Amino acid sequence: MAEAVLPDRAVLGEFESAEALRRGALALRQAGWRMVEMYAPFDTDTVADGPPPRARSPLPAVALAGGAIGGVGAFLIEWWTNTRSYPLDVGARPRPAIPAYIPIAFESIVLAAALAVVLAWLIRLGLPRLWAPIDELEGFPRTTLDRFWLVCAPPTTWPAAQVEASLHTAGAVRVVPTGRGA
Amino acid sequence: MPPLNSDAVRQIAADLSRRDFLALLGASMALAGVTGCVREPDEPVYPYVHPPDAGAGTDLHFATAMALDGYATGLVVRSVGGRPIKIEGNPLHPASHGAAGALHQASLLGLYDPARARAATTNGRTLNWSAALRSFSLPALRQLAGQRGAGVCLVLDPTASPVTAFLLARLRTALPDATVHFHHTIESATVLDATRMAFGQPLLPLVDLSNAATIVAIGADPLASGPWHLRHARDFGARQRSIGRVQLHVAETSPSPTGSLASNRLAAAPSVLSSVALALLDRVARQQGVAAVRVAPVTLTSMAAAWVDAAAADLLAHRRASVVVAGDQAPQDVHLAVTLLNALLDNAGHTVRYVPSPLLDAGDRSHRADVLAERLGDGGTSALIITASNPVYTAPFDLPFAAPCQRATQSLYLGDYHDETAAVTQTFLPHAHYLESWGAERAYNGVISPVQPLIAPMWSGHTVDELLAALSGDARSGLALLKACCPAAATADALRRGIVDSTEAPSHATTIRWSALPVLAPPALPRSHTIEVAFPAGGVHDGRFSGNAWLQELPDPTTKLTWDNALLLGSGTAARLGVSNGDVLELRVDRATITAPALIVPGHAEDSGSLSLGYGRRGPGTRARLIGASTAPLRRAASPFTTESVQCVVTGQQHTLAVTQQHWSIAGRASELIAGAPAKALPAPLYHGTPPGHDGFGADQWAMTIDLDLCTGCSACVVACQAENNIPVVGKTGVLHSREMHWMRIARYTGDNGNAISQPMLCQHCEDAPCEYVCPVNATVHSDDGLNEMVYNRCVGTRFCSNNCPYKVRRFNWVNYHEEMTPVDELLNNPDVTVRARGVMEKCTFCVQRLRTAQERSALAGAPRTGPVVTACQQSCPTGAIIFGSLTNPDDAVAASAADPRAFRALDSLGTRPRVHYLTRRKDPA
Amino acid sequence: MTALADVLSQRASERAQARAQLAEPPLILPGARGADLALRIITPLWTARRAWRFLFIVPLLLTGLFVVAMGVTLVQGIGAWGNNIPVAWAFGITNFVWWIGIGHAGTFISAFLLLLNQEWRNSINRLAEAMTLFALVNAGVFPILHLGRPWLAYWLIPYPATTGVWPNFLSSLPWDVAAITTYFTVSLLFWYTGLVPDLATARDAAPTRLRRQIYGIFALGWRGSGDAWRQHRIMYALLAGLATPLVISVHSIVSLDFSITQLPGWHSTIFPPFFVAGAIYSGFAMVLMLLIPVRRFFGWEDIITERHLDLCARLLLTTGLMVAYSYLCETFLAWYGGDPFERYALITNRAVGPYRWVVAAMMGCNLLVPQLLWWRRLRRSPLTLFIAATLIWAGMWCERFTIIVASLSRDFVPANWQTFHPSWVDISLLTGSIGLFALLFLAFLRWVPAVSISEMQAQQARSSGDARHG
């Protein structure tokens, strides 16, 4: 679900700054528009004053699970190999030697958790995905440099001109219909 | 001789048993044009009775004897698959009693030395034995040197062999005018002259330390050098164990192993030693009220006087239970004084007996260097026959061999190597190693030992006996000659046990001829701005072992010097000369000069230096070319072992000396290392870890004790360990990198006044081993019977174990040390011990191969182990300082020894719980 | 996780307070504004100056030397080095500890300072993380190379072998394996995931098709949708949360290689904190050694400002004081503890032993030099800072050498005492590893956005936004 599902009426508006986009989006939402998605060169949530919205994400849970599996697994391997599978008298040291097993168990927690998080992140964003329809949008590549796009849909089916006009008033420098519907 | 077809050998050896490999190796040699090949001798040879390690099949022990300077030491040689691989002492032999010295054990390496001469040559042409001898047949000699052989001159090593005696006598009857000479290299006949002067007949003192309470050694090292030193050490050890500390007074020039045990030690220049001996004689005589002893006034330093007082007091307190000994190299006046002292103290017949020398023509003029020099100088020699070991190198400055050899019409040399002597003689014959020879030898006390071969001659060598026989037209082989000349030594019983019964020399009743004695006067002291230089036997003896890598790399017991000799100096003299270690000095006598690096030794006598014999070889045919300094130019036949008035000039050059120990002070750690508090509640608990019996070996709990009161530092154990455990040599550069591989290292700590203590340092087999828990791959772990095990093929070489070993007894294979081994070198490897590869750690295993063999044998027999298991070091230790065994076995002495009040564990405070215990030195009675 | 959320929610207010308190110039000077900031970071990737070629020459030669020295070691064995008994560890492990320590500053900057919401990290975290990675590459080489039988290194990893034997987890070396592997992996992930949006920028700004394709592949198709940014933000915060304890643990474990033994000079309980402080100390020294020439070369004085140097210098001084305190503790406790072996190893041997000159260099560089940084003027003078950093960087190598070699060369039994002399292979491996690092770092500067564009843009938008509000 990398791309939001576009309703027929959806249009794209290009803005020149995060601030402009934020204000435009606010105005349109008050006008009953539906916000679908946005594109920006950086994390705009962290720009506005006040805390960024709590984003729903599976990643923390995944990290916890990964870490748990890694840590417990590593500890069991250490314990089993040195005390059950092939016990040896090593310098007359006690077996099992729990404290000695801690460092590797800890490192394994971190390793497994990190790998799980990154993997889950890729899956969640559907990456790698080298091509998407929106890439065909003329001028869209500037998004990663200094352009901001808002994908939104008017409350009802309006004539294209009215849609464009209201977006412009909202601050968009350019408006592109999705090519569906009108 | 072309090199071995070694590629083929390696490739074939890969998939063949050792025995087949030997045959093939032999074949490859034969192909390469060598007559004869490696195999067991054709003749019947008789295994040693009661082999200590009675293995089945190809693992056998044979008794034989090795003669050095003419005196035999009985040995037991272990042979596997037809290869002699380990030399041990013969417990039945009087000169050994089961011990073996470094030279004896290392002589094994000489057998396999690839540098050994491999073919007979005449003027460079390779011939076979008989062809080479054609021009030395009796008719040829008569025709060349006159009917009575007036022009024939034989030069032999001193020998006591009855076979040689018989053959020599026969040759003399055939050529009555031929002259025979015996060439002495590291000992002289001065003792015989002294006894002749005292008793009227030349006799050898046979010292028995087993009931001596006081020992006075003047210029002598009775416990570590000389033909009888193993027996001395054995008796001394037994005595020390039974009565506690024996009073040992030593006056010597260079610190010796014996000196390191002395309770009263004096460092004195050779000339001062004579004065000391006379002063001691004078003192004892006065106390005894014997007026017959007339000694000219002697002036002594206060230290020397104090030493004399103490020695005299002890001697007088132990009449009949004391003994005075002089060294083999001591001058005649010292020997005379010593003889008189023993007589005055009534020691003769108690601690010292007098026996005729077993040497052929002992005391005769044929033993005198000046006579030989005269004979060689007169130019009348047309046929010169040399069987002495490389006299061109060993002879002193004024006994020139080279010129006469070249002058002689015919010259023949029977030698081990194409050495300096071979270079100036026309006909060369390869000499058979004693492990390849049949014969008979006599010990210092006259006992006859058969010499039986362990292996057929590898390089077509022959014995002196075979040569002497051939000269008189007798082509018989060694065994036939032995049977003919000394049948008693050829009996199966003699061959098994290695001795011929009731052949011991009878001791003579002796009476001093006081009236005939002159007034004894000390020699004049040398000029002050020069030094006296003594020439003791080096680690390679007189040079005959200079190609022996084991001996070259064996650290000198005193200086820890390897791969070199150096002029040893006292610190005071060094300061006076303004030299420090490694500064090269030019030593000048008359017009002869040599250069040698200086090495400062705490406890060395001032105004004198010591430069050991056997180095500075210039000839071909040895790995040791150009190692060290040759002493010949400084030595004079009149007094071959000391030269007075040697001028020292600092050259300003530097020479790097490979010394294995850098720090001689114990840095205030004596209480932790050599005099630890008695270990508490020993030896419990024997064990913790996996339950005993886990791997079937839990019944025994191995441990070792080492008595620091008995360790002289002689280093026989180091060679024993090296031979038993396939330990490689690393060469001078390796030593300079401090990468020696010896599992047994003898640490030596010296005090300010030259007193020293030697501490053998080997794996301590800690119960709580610090090396084990740091190994990431479980390559070093503990066995149920308390061994710290090293699993070579599991080791990845992190070297973490060495870092965590407080004793630093682990050795690392920095490179592939066995790469350079030729197929011939490889023959001496002990098949029971893994040859370690590059990159793995190794260390003392308590000779685990011996333990496991014994345990498996008892398991097979289904009976508990009978008799002790001995480690190689313990077996070779002359004084018996090392005791090994199982703490749980009542038959083994180790438990009792570990419970001795003197027992302690090195660095015990670290909690490593070592299984090696040291017995600290007893305090000297105040 | 809630704690993390709180941290994130606190950002705005904290930010306002922070800037109010600090009467400091802004982190980004007015010069760097708008798209041209991004372009200034991107364009060097395809408008390289000729100077580049010459810069690569020396690192390439040194790397060649590195390869040769490694070849000799592998063919001949450790005998090619100067190591001996008792000094069985020397240059190899010294270099390992030194390099892995240097790596720590990178993670510290990117993870620690992120969680602590230190905005100034945005200008330098990319460089610092790259430094970490390349330092770890070197750190990874030495432990394997120093084995007697390097081809068996995998025996330290538990796998079902036919022998049935496993690694011994009582030893700290398997701990090292886990620590280094984890540290390298996490650092790589952290660096790369942070890099993805900038790679997308490079993809979209690249002049040629080939470049677009290459950067496009590495950008994984990043488009910067709002959802993607949210998930990225959380993933990045989680990685930071994991990397922060990791960076502490790694050098603690490395220090255990020494403190689990009983060798005087190694057997010490203060090692973990002592080593971590030393690691970050040496790391910040190297960060400065890299920042100062880089900002000059690219003309980024307005992106990496003197204030950045100042802040790094302060951290250098702080960690330097921690190290000084550790030296003090070590020496004092050796004396106070009264153990004769400890006293000898840590006092006598260091004062008058064969390596006293190395000890002197270590003291001079690590204790005296940082005291210069008390002066603000010096903290803001690039040249002084560069020289000081270089001295500290070298001083920390001397510290590792002293701990390892000086302690080993004279331990319990005086008869075993020997000194260590490096062979040409030892020296070549050290200089060669520095060359390899330089090579990798130059390649990074040449082909990867060396400053985080997206983070800089966000920071810039914030400042402009605040400017508007305030």
Side-chain angles (χ1 to χ4, degrees):
Chain A
M1 51 173 292
E3 299 290 312
V5 186
L6 290 180
D8 295 351
R9 304 188 296 276
V11 289
L12 297 81
E14 181 179 16
F15 295 77
E16 277 186 325
S17 78
E19 185 58 26
L21 178 134
R22 194 174 61 84
R23 272 195 251 102
L26 211 59
L28 291 170
R29 190 185 281 114
Q30 281 158 359
W33 287 53
R34 175 163 159 239
M35 299 299 122
V36 179
E37 179 57 288
M38 58 164 295
Y39 296 90
F42 52 83
D43 188 352
T44 48
D45 290 349
T46 65
V47 170
D49 289 346
R54 287 283 177 87
R56 294 169 38 75
S57 167
L59 298 185
V62 171
L64 186 62
I69 292 167
V72 174
F75 185 89
L76 286 179
I77 289 173
E78 296 183 89
W79 172 82
W80 180 75
T81 54
N82 277 192
T83 64
R84 288 282 173 278
S85 167
Y86 202 133
L88 284 161
D89 175 9
V90 177
R93 297 308 192 265
R95 286 190 315 267
I98 306 297
Y101 302 159
I102 291 172
I104 292 180
F106 173 80
E107 298 298 321
S108 308
I109 291 174
V110 175
L111 182 62
L115 288 170
V117 166
V118 172
L119 199 63
W121 174 70
L122 290 171
I123 294 166
R124 170 73 172 67
L125 298 188
L127 298 181
R129 184 184 188 202
L130 297 191
W131 181 86
I134 197 166
D135 295 340
E136 304 303 325
L137 179 55
E138 187 269 329
F140 183 75
R142 271 192 78 171
T143 310
T144 53
L145 193 59
D146 63 346
R147 278 298 188 266
F148 303 77
W149 290 86
L150 182 65
V151 185
C152 53
T156 56
T157 314
W158 290 355
Q162 185 189 354
V163 170
E164 196 165 330
S166 42
L167 258 173
H168 279 305
T169 45
V173 290
R174 191 151 66 94
V175 178
V176 182
T178 51
R180 315 249 194 115
Chain B
M1 169 241 162
L4 296 173
N5 181 358
S6 52
D7 293 343
V9 173
R10 283 216 185 71
Q11 177 263 323
I12 297 162
D15 49 11
L16 283 178
S17 79
R18 223 9 155 179
R19 202 182 180 79
D20 304 337
F21 168 52
L22 294 178
L24 275 159
L25 178 63
S28 78
M29 291 180 199
L31 287 174
V34 181
T35 57
C37 66
V38 180
R39 52 181 160 68
E40 292 175 43
D42 300 332
E43 309 89 350
V45 289
Y46 296 91
Y48 180 70
V49 66
H50 309 313
D53 184 13
T58 63
D59 184 350
L60 294 170
H61 288 71
F62 297 92
T64 186
M66 172 184 177
L68 211 50
D69 313 316
Y71 302 104
T73 303
L75 303 172
V76 171
V77 184
R78 180 178 175 220
S79 167
V80 176
R83 302 174 293 127
I85 62 159
K86 180 79 168 62
I87 291 178
E88 289 148 9
N90 181 348
L92 300 176
H93 191 275
S96 160
H97 275 201
L103 295 176
H104 306 113
Q105 300 184 67
S107 65
L108 177 67
L109 191 59
L111 171 67
Y112 297 110
D113 184 351
R116 273 178 73 197
R118 302 187 176 192
T121 58
T122 297
N123 301 320
R125 283 183 303 111
T126 304
L127 305 164
N128 64 24
W129 161 262
S130 50
L133 273 177
R134 196 160 295 129
S135 50
F136 289 88
S137 63
L138 265 183
L141 285 174
R142 287 207 173 96
Q143 196 243 344
L144 173 75
Q147 278 307 307
R148 299 172 54 81
V152 177
C153 173
L154 288 95
V155 181
L156 291 77
D157 277 330
T159 176
S161 159
V163 181
T164 314
F166 180 94
L167 296 167
L168 206 54
R170 192 173 63 182
L171 190 62
R172 276 169 157 162
T173 49
L175 301 168
D177 288 359
T179 55
V180 177
H181 302 272
F182 298 97
H183 176 58
H184 291 252
T185 54
I186 69 136
E187 39 73 61
S188 57
T190 48
V191 61
L192 294 176
D193 302 338
T195 45
R196 180 189 283 115
M197 190 179 280
F199 304 135
Q201 51 184 333
L203 294 171
L204 280 182
L206 187 60
V207 171
D208 174 10
L209 296 182
S210 57
N211 46 26
T214 293
I215 303 168
V216 174
I218 300 173
D221 182 15
L223 300 182
S225 63
W228 200 241
H229 80 271
L230 293 172
R231 177 61 177 276
H232 285 157
R234 272 281 193 264
D235 295 343
F236 174 80
R239 177 70 174 174
Q240 185 103 304
R241 265 192 297 278
S242 62
I243 69 158
R245 185 142 187 164
V246 172
Q247 287 310 303
L248 184 54
H249 303 263
V250 177
E252 60 188 357
T253 302
S254 176
S256 70
T258 309
S260 74
L261 285 180
S263 46
N264 175 28
R265 179 179 174 278
L266 174 70
S271 59
V272 179
L273 286 177
S274 302
S275 312
V276 167
L278 293 181
L280 185 60
L281 172 62
D282 190 37
R283 167 69 54 84
V284 171
R286 289 179 193 285
Q287 299 275 341
Q288 307 267 65
V290 178
V293 180
R294 289 164 299 158
V295 179
V298 177
T299 54
L300 288 180
T301 64
S302 57
M303 281 174 65
W307 184 87
V308 169
D309 296 343
D314 257 333
L315 285 173
L316 291 163
H318 297 101
R319 304 181 76 257
R320 293 198 177 82
S322 62
V323 65
V324 188
V325 269
D328 301 322
Q329 299 189 337
Q332 182 178 339
D333 54 357
V334 173
H335 277 293
L336 183 54
V338 164
T339 314
L340 298 178
L341 273 166
N342 283 324
L344 289 174
L345 294 163
D346 241 340
N347 291 331
H350 295 92
T351 56
V352 57
R353 298 188 293 119
Y354 289 94
V355 297
S357 167
L359 291 185
L360 209 48
D361 301 350
D364 182 84
R365 59 196 309 275
S366 64
H367 283 263
R368 286 170 52 184
D370 52 347
V371 175
L372 174 57
E374 188 184 325
R375 177 71 172 89
L376 291 174
D378 66 11
T381 306
S382 46
L384 181 56
I385 297 165
I386 301 173
T387 67
S389 165
N390 197 12
V392 170
Y393 163 77
T394 57
F397 184 68
D398 51 358
L399 178 49
F401 265 90
C405 288
Q406 280 146 341
R407 222 182 300 120
T409 334
Q410 288 286 356
S411 57
L412 178 147
Y413 175 45
L414 180 74
D416 297 308
Y417 298 94
H418 278 286
D419 52 23
E420 292 89 335
T421 307
V424 295
T425 44
Q426 297 157 5
T427 300
F428 175 83
L429 299 172
H431 180 228
H433 193 276
Y434 75 94
L435 292 173
E436 302 169 327
S437 308
W438 283 102
E441 295 289 351
R442 302 189 78 144
Y444 186 78
N445 71 340
V447 167
I448 295 179
S449 296
V451 177
Q452 64 176 330
L454 274 286
I455 188 169
M458 296 172 70
W459 313 113
S460 72
H462 288 73
T463 63
V464 175
D465 296 343
E466 286 168 335
L467 174 63
L468 292 176
L471 289 176
S472 45
D474 176 349
R476 280 181 296 176
S477 77
L479 178 58
L481 294 170
L482 177 64
K483 283 178 170 159
C485 313
C486 187
T491 65
D493 178 62
L495 290 168
R496 279 213 176 80
R497 298 168 55 238
I499 54 170
V500 181
D501 289 333
S502 62
T503 48
E504 182 167 3
S507 53
H508 287 224
T510 55
T511 47
I512 306 282
R513 302 184 309 168
W514 297 108
S515 53
L517 292 178
V519 176
L520 302 173
L525 290 177
R527 283 174 285 140
S528 61
H529 62 282
T530 63
I531 65 169
E532 275 179 275
V533 179
F535 304 101
V540 294
H541 204 60
D542 59 3
R544 73 183 61 202
F545 297 116
S546 61
N548 189 309
W550 286 355
L551 292 172
Q552 285 282 4
E553 194 156 305
L554 181 66
D556 178 273
T558 300
T559 62
K560 300 297 171 193
L561 177 63
T562 64
W563 292 103
D564 236 327
N565 66 342
L567 182 72
L568 311 186
L569 292 172
S571 37
T573 313
R576 175 161 65 78
L577 296 168
V579 294
S580 54
N581 288 348
D583 288 346
V584 176
L585 288 167
E586 184 181 74
L587 305 177
R588 185 180 301 129
V589 174
D590 308 337
R591 272 177 310 289
T593 67
I594 65 164
T595 58
L599 183 58
I600 300 164
V601 180
H604 191 285
E606 302 299 348
D607 302 323
S608 64
S610 307
L611 184 63
S612 55
L613 301 165
Y615 291 86
R617 295 282 307 278
R618 291 294 180 274
T622 166
R623 291 172 179 172
R625 281 195 86 241
L626 309 181
I627 290 182
S630 169
T631 58
L634 297 190
R635 291 163 54 217
R636 298 292 178 268
S639 72
F641 307 117
T642 55
T643 301
E644 295 184 348
S645 312
V646 178
Q647 288 168 300
C648 298
V649 184
V650 182
T651 61
Q653 295 157 328
Q654 274 288 326
H655 179 79
T656 321
L657 294 168
V659 178
T660 61
Q661 187 174 329
Q662 303 297 334
H663 290 264
W664 302 93
S665 142
I666 200 160
R669 299 171 179 191
S671 61
E672 285 277 5
L673 292 175
I674 56 170
K680 299 152 222 63
L682 278 173
L686 290 181
Y687 186 78
H688 43 104
T690 51
H694 164 63
D695 60 18
F697 293 130
D700 286 315
Q701 290 300 328
W702 304 110
M704 176 182 282
T705 63
I706 301 176
D707 190 338
L708 298 182
D709 236 351
L710 292 181
C711 178
T712 63
C714 73
S715 304
C717 53
V718 180
V719 180
C721 179
Q722 186 151 30
E724 173 74 15
N725 294 301
N726 301 336
I727 294 174
V729 294
V730 299
K732 183 173 180 176
T733 43
V735 174
L736 287 171
H737 278 96
S738 65
R739 291 175 179 174
E740 320 79 88
M741 298 300 285
H742 296 140
W743 289 358
M744 166 75 87
R745 171 157 57 181
I746 299 184
R748 177 185 169 93
Y749 301 105
T750 52
D752 311 330
N753 54 352
N755 58 337
I757 182 167
S758 295
Q759 180 178 39
M761 192 43 87
L762 67 165
C763 176
Q764 306 282 299
H765 291 271
C766 310
E767 288 173 0
D768 292 359
C771 52
E772 291 178 10
Y773 72 86
V774 296
C775 175
V777 292
N778 281 322
T780 181
V781 292
H782 229 70
S783 77
D784 287 345
D785 46 359
L787 297 181
N788 171 247
E789 294 175 319
M790 184 66 221
V791 189
Y792 304 127
N793 57 357
R794 177 66 179 173
C795 178
V796 298
T798 68
R799 310 190 289 288
F800 205 174
C801 49
S802 170
N803 291 350
N804 206 25
C805 172
Y807 313 92
K808 290 290 177 286
V809 291
R810 290 176 158 263
R811 305 286 175 263
F812 186 68
N813 288 272
W814 300 100
V815 296
N816 185 357
Y817 287 117
H818 294 276
E819 213 164 33
E820 296 90 32
M821 281 196 115
T822 68
V824 183
D825 288 321
E826 287 163 1
L827 291 176
L828 68 77
N829 282 344
N830 180 353
D832 299 343
V833 178
T834 311
V835 171
R836 279 79 60 187
R838 162 198 147 188
V840 306
M841 209 29 107
E842 61 183 68
K843 60 161 196 76
C844 161
T845 63
F846 269 174
C847 287
V848 65
Q849 64 278 10
R850 296 185 174 201
L851 309 184
R852 295 300 176 238
T853 312
Q855 287 166 322
E856 282 151 12
R857 208 163 276 142
S858 72
L860 285 175
R865 173 168 59 88
T866 55
V869 187
V870 296
T871 61
C873 51
Q874 170 191 20
Q875 190 171 23
S876 70
C877 180
T879 57
I882 302 176
I883 297 177
F884 177 82
S886 168
L887 294 168
T888 53
N889 187 327
D891 303 345
D892 292 351
V894 72
S897 177
D900 185 298
R902 292 190 294 130
F904 73 97
R905 300 182 293 191
L907 297 172
D908 199 29
S909 63
L910 297 179
T912 51
R913 309 180 53 85
R915 275 286 174 90
V916 173
H917 300 81
Y918 293 93
L919 304 190
T920 186
R921 278 204 179 170
R922 296 179 181 82
K923 296 277 171 292
D924 293 319
Chain C
M1 294 287 78
T2 54
L4 178 56
D6 298 343
V7 170
L8 296 174
S9 65
Q10 293 301 324
R11 302 178 66 132
S13 51
E14 284 176 3
R15 190 168 57 247
Q17 297 165 0
R19 199 170 297 108
Q21 293 162 356
L22 287 176
E24 297 277 5
L27 277 166
I28 310 171
L29 302 182
R33 282 282 173 214
D36 87 307
L37 172 67
L39 290 175
R40 280 176 54 204
I41 300 172
I42 286 288
T43 39
L45 303 189
W46 30 85
T47 63
R49 288 184 269 155
R50 290 189 108 275
W52 274 107
R53 292 191 182 68
F54 304 106
L55 287 178
F56 274 92
I57 293 172
V58 175
L60 270 172
L61 292 176
L62 288 178
T63 310
L65 184 63
F66 196 34
V67 174
V68 171
M70 280 197 279
V72 172
T73 309
L74 292 175
V75 170
Q76 197 180 334
I78 300 300
W81 299 4
N83 300 38
N84 60 28
I85 302 291
V87 187
W89 287 1
F91 267 41
I93 299 300
T94 304
N95 299 344
F96 158 67
V97 178
W98 185 58
W99 276 119
I100 203 167
I102 284 170
H104 281 51
T107 326
F108 182 86
I109 289 172
S110 49
F112 245 86
L113 299 186
L114 176 74
L115 294 186
L116 298 178
N117 182 26
Q118 294 296 311
E119 266 189 344
W120 58 278
R121 71 177 272 287
N122 297 342
S123 310
I124 59 172
N125 69 330
R126 178 72 43 77
L127 286 161
E129 289 168 33
M131 176 193 79
T132 297
L133 281 180
F134 305 145
L136 286 180
V137 169
N138 279 325
V141 168
F142 285 102
I144 294 173
L145 198 62
H146 108 293
L147 292 179
R149 304 199 289 173
W151 52 92
L152 298 178
Y154 65 93
W155 282 2
L156 272 73
I157 299 163
Y159 71 98
T162 50
T163 58
V165 185
W166 300 94
N168 165 26
F169 294 111
L170 294 173
S171 167
S172 58
L173 296 186
W175 310 349
D176 275 346
V177 176
I180 300 164
T181 324
T182 307
Y183 192 30
F184 184 79
T185 317
V186 173
S187 305
L188 184 63
L189 291 174
F190 203 70
W191 180 73
Y192 181 63
T193 53
L195 192 56
V196 164
D198 289 1
L199 290 171
T201 315
R203 171 195 63 198
D204 298 337
T208 68
R209 177 177 175 74
L210 177 65
R211 283 212 174 86
R212 272 199 295 281
Q213 285 171 339
I214 294 171
Y215 285 112
I217 289 164
F218 285 105
L220 305 174
W222 175 265
R223 283 170 196 83
S225 74
D227 177 57
W229 275 119
R230 277 189 294 279
Q231 301 303 335
H232 184 271
R233 187 169 74 227
I234 291 160
M235 179 271 301
Y236 204 59
L238 284 167
L239 282 186
L242 289 165
T244 303
L246 176 64
V247 70
I248 305 295
S249 76
V250 169
H251 224 54
S252 302
I253 288 175
V254 169
S255 79
L256 294 181
D257 289 345
F258 306 101
S259 45
I260 69 164
T261 70
Q262 58 183 3
L263 186 78
W266 288 14
H267 181 52
S268 164
T269 48
I270 71 164
F271 265 28
F274 170 24
F275 268 50
V276 173
I280 297 171
Y281 186 44
S282 58
F284 266 103
M286 189 152 201
V287 166
L288 281 166
M289 289 170 66
L290 298 170
L291 287 186
I292 290 168
V294 164
R295 68 196 280 266
R296 179 73 179 280
F297 182 83
F298 289 105
W300 286 346
E301 284 88 351
D302 52 353
I303 298 174
I304 304 170
T305 61
E306 287 188 349
R307 198 168 147 228
H308 287 99
L309 304 186
D310 188 348
L311 289 160
C312 289
R314 291 185 197 178
L315 275 161
L316 199 58
L317 177 56
T318 316
T319 46
L321 293 173
M322 294 184 193
V323 169
Y325 175 69
S326 307
Y327 291 171
L328 196 67
C329 282
E330 204 177 33
T331 319
F332 171 74
L333 289 176
W335 167 79
Y336 187 69
D339 177 288
F341 300 119
E342 288 259 325
R343 281 188 178 179
Y344 184 86
L346 287 159
I347 301 174
T348 319
N349 190 28
R350 291 195 179 176
V352 299
Y355 298 106
R356 55 187 178 282
W357 300 119
V358 185
V359 177
M362 145 187 153
M363 291 295 176
C365 297
N366 300 350
L367 298 191
L368 302 185
V369 170
Q371 306 312 321
L372 296 172
L373 305 176
W374 288 105
W375 286 277
R376 180 192 173 98
R377 214 178 77 261
L378 296 180
R379 286 205 303 272
R380 294 185 174 234
S381 132
L383 182 61
T384 330
L385 212 47
F386 184 81
I387 294 168
T390 314
L391 288 174
I392 291 167
W393 179 75
M396 285 307 292
W397 188 90
C398 295
E399 181 204 293
R400 315 311 195 187
F401 183 87
T402 304
I403 292 174
I404 292 169
V405 174
S407 309
L408 278 172
S409 67
R410 297 190 167 191
D411 63 343
F412 293 98
V413 181
N416 298 337
W417 291 355
Q418 301 281 352
T419 46
F420 159 86
H421 305 287
S423 76
W424 71 269
V425 180
D426 287 310
I427 311 243
S428 310
L429 286 172
L430 174 57
T431 48
S433 69
I434 296 171
L436 176 61
F437 178 92
L439 189 68
L440 293 169
F441 195 78
L442 282 172
F444 157 78
L445 289 177
R446 177 73 184 77
W447 286 295
V448 180
V451 176
S452 170
I453 298 168
S454 56
E455 285 177 285
M456 290 300 289
Q457 280 182 314
Q459 180 182 347
Q460 177 192 83
R462 276 196 293 277
S463 46
S464 58
D466 297 332
R468 177 180 46 73
H469 285 298

